[in-house]
Structure formats: C-alpha cells, structure tokens
C-alpha cells in the first residue's frame, strides 16, 4: 500500500458517498446513468469473486464488500425507490457495444485461462469504459448538477491516482500489471474532457455547461 | 509461481 493508492481508494469511497448524497438530498437520480451504475455493479461482482477464496487484508476485504454492497444499493435506489426520477430516454448508450468487446479482450488478454482470471480481466476492461454511458448522457443534456460533477471528479481522481501508484510500485516492488495499467490509462484518458470543464467552470463557481 | 493480476488492488 502506498499513499497514491490509499488516496485513490479514499477518493473512490468519497465518490460513492457523494452519489448517495446527491440521490438522497435531491430525492432524485436525475442526471445519473443507470447503465453506468449497472456496469459498475457488474465490474465489482466479477472482480471481487476472490472474496470467497483469497484473503488479502482486512482493508481489502472491507473495501470489496463495501463496493459490491453500495453499487447494488445504488441500483436499488435507481430502479425502485426513485424510479420515476430516472429518464431512460436520455440514457441511451448501447452497453452491448461495451460488453462484447470486453469479453473478447478478456479472452485475448489474461494472466491465466481460468474462470476467475478471465472474469478479473473482463472486469478491468469493463471498468475502463463503464463511465461512457454517463459521459454520453452528459454530452446529450449538455449540463449537470454541481453535485453530479463532484461525483464524477472524485471517480476520475481515483483512477488518476492509480497511475502514480503503478509507477511507484514499479520502482519499489518491481511489480507491473500490464492489463490493469493499459486499461487504467484508457479509463483516465476518458475523463480528460470532463476534467477540463470541471476545473475551468465548476471549480470557478460556474454551472457545468458544455458549449453548444 | 503463477502470474496473476494485481489482485491486491481494488
């Protein structure tokens, strides 16, 4: 464990609390892509299967349980409790275009041809692109509530912080995970446009609005 | 030793 990873994970935790706060305080999931949230739940469930047969640490165990539980809870909130506030007509990204290629990539790139390792690879690739339905929705509506942009910023910061973590681990532990690093770089790159608007507008106190 | 991904990461 190093500080980059710790702060990355904390940022990830923060993003989930911000999202829950947004849903509870506005009593609405307007502006949140159900598809992205469903993809994240899929990512956590397929990646953290090792909960059942591998012990890493109490930290690791607790975080994994939290991510699975919170992502399922968010799906419940969106699907049942605040269902009327979710508008599927603007959440139109075709997730099969993401799932298909991720299955193929996992079959091509993995560390071991076993069910858990294939699912692990799949989850890594899927996480890299899971934010796309959300960003697509943002692009379509052209604006976002400030609290939603804080959620996205915290999520993006989590991924960005994993990059110095890998550099640090390369030098201190001689450890490289090419699949996670490649997917992580792609994932972080997807946030660049968003970060630009977030830093130049939201953090200057303006509303998140994309130029027409 | 098996080569596997960074399973200690989240």
């Amino acid at each position: 464990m190093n500080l980059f990873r710790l702060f990355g994970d904390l940022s990830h935790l923060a993003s989930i609390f911000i999202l829950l706060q947004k849903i509870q305080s506005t009593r609405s999931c307007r502006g949140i892509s159900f598809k992205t949230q469903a993809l994240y739940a899929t990512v956590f469930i397929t990646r953290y299967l090792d909960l059942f047969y591998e012990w890493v640490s109490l930290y690791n165990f607790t975080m994994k349980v939290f991510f699975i539980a919170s992502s399922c809870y968010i799906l419940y909130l969106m699907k049942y409790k605040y269902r009327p506030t979710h508008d599927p007509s603007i959440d139109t990204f075709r997730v099969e275009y993401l799932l298909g290629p991720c299955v193929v990539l996992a079959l091509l790139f993995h560390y071991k041809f076993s069910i858990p390792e294939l699912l692990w690879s799949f989850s890594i690739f899927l996480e890299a692109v899971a934010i796309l339905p959300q960003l697509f929705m943002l692009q379509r509506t052209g604006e976002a509530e400030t609290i939603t942009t804080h959620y996205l910023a915290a999520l993006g910061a989590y991924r960005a912080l994993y990059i110095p973590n890998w550099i640090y681990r390369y030098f201190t532990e001689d450890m490289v995970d090419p699949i996670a690093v490649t997917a992580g770089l792609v994932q972080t790159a997807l946030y660049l446009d968003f970060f630009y608007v977030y830093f130049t507008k939201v953090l200057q106190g303006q509303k998140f609005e994309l130029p027409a | 030793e098996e080569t596997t991904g960074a399973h200690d990461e989240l």
Side-chain angles (χ1 to χ4, degrees), chain A:
Chain A
M1 177 58 79
N2 57 63
L3 282 180
F4 300 115
R5 190 142 54 105
L6 178 64
F7 281 110
D9 291 341
L10 291 177
S11 181
H12 194 185
L13 274 185
S15 77
I16 290 168
F17 285 118
I18 295 169
L19 179 59
L20 286 169
Q21 172 67 20
K22 177 254 169 324
I23 296 173
Q24 311 279 18
S25 68
T26 63
R27 302 192 58 77
S28 153
C29 46
R30 196 169 69 92
I32 304 296
S33 163
F34 180 80
K35 290 181 174 177
T36 282
Q37 298 306 319
L39 290 178
Y40 279 129
T42 312
V43 164
F44 296 140
I45 291 166
T46 50
R47 187 180 308 164
Y48 298 157
L49 284 175
D50 61 355
L51 265 177
F52 295 104
Y53 56 88
E54 204 167 280
W55 180 262
V56 180
S57 64
L58 182 63
Y59 171 85
N60 191 275
F61 178 85
T62 315
M63 294 292 249
K64 284 175 173 171
V65 171
F66 176 81
F67 288 128
I68 292 177
S70 61
S71 62
C72 293
Y73 179 59
I74 287 165
L75 289 185
Y76 156 76
L77 289 179
M78 296 188 78
K79 198 78 193 166
Y80 297 101
K81 198 165 180 199
Y82 298 111
R83 187 187 185 98
T85 63
H86 175 247
D87 182 3
S89 69
I90 52 166
D91 192 10
T92 51
F93 196 92
R94 302 286 294 266
V95 286
E96 49 273 41
Y97 294 154
L98 300 179
L99 291 169
C102 287
V103 170
V104 175
L105 282 172
L107 289 170
L108 291 174
F109 304 100
H110 48 262
Y111 294 117
K112 205 177 145 205
F113 198 82
S114 69
I115 302 274
E117 283 292 320
L118 286 172
L119 286 174
W120 180 86
S121 262
F122 169 76
S123 82
I124 293 288
F125 294 124
L126 187 61
E127 188 190 352
V129 291
I131 198 64
L132 285 177
Q134 178 67 60
L135 293 176
F136 183 70
M137 195 165 154
L138 212 63
Q139 196 78 251
R140 269 193 75 153
T141 52
E143 52 164 47
E145 290 167 53
T146 302
I147 191 162
T148 303
T149 66
H150 293 328
Y151 159 66
L152 286 168
L155 203 54
Y158 144 62
R159 289 321 304 187
L161 282 162
Y162 259 64
I163 295 173
N165 154 62
W166 290 318
I167 297 170
Y168 182 85
R169 293 191 84 177
Y170 171 73
F171 287 109
T172 57
E173 299 167 42
D174 205 20
M175 128 99 206
V176 192
D177 178 338
I179 294 178
V181 171
T182 313
L185 289 174
V186 170
Q187 188 174 355
T188 311
L190 295 180
Y191 282 92
L192 292 179
D193 260 2
F194 167 80
F195 272 135
Y196 177 76
V197 183
Y198 184 74
F199 282 116
T200 56
K201 283 202 167 170
V202 180
L203 290 186
Q204 316 293 326
Q206 297 173 42
K207 194 176 159 43
F208 184 94
E209 269 176 324
L210 297 174

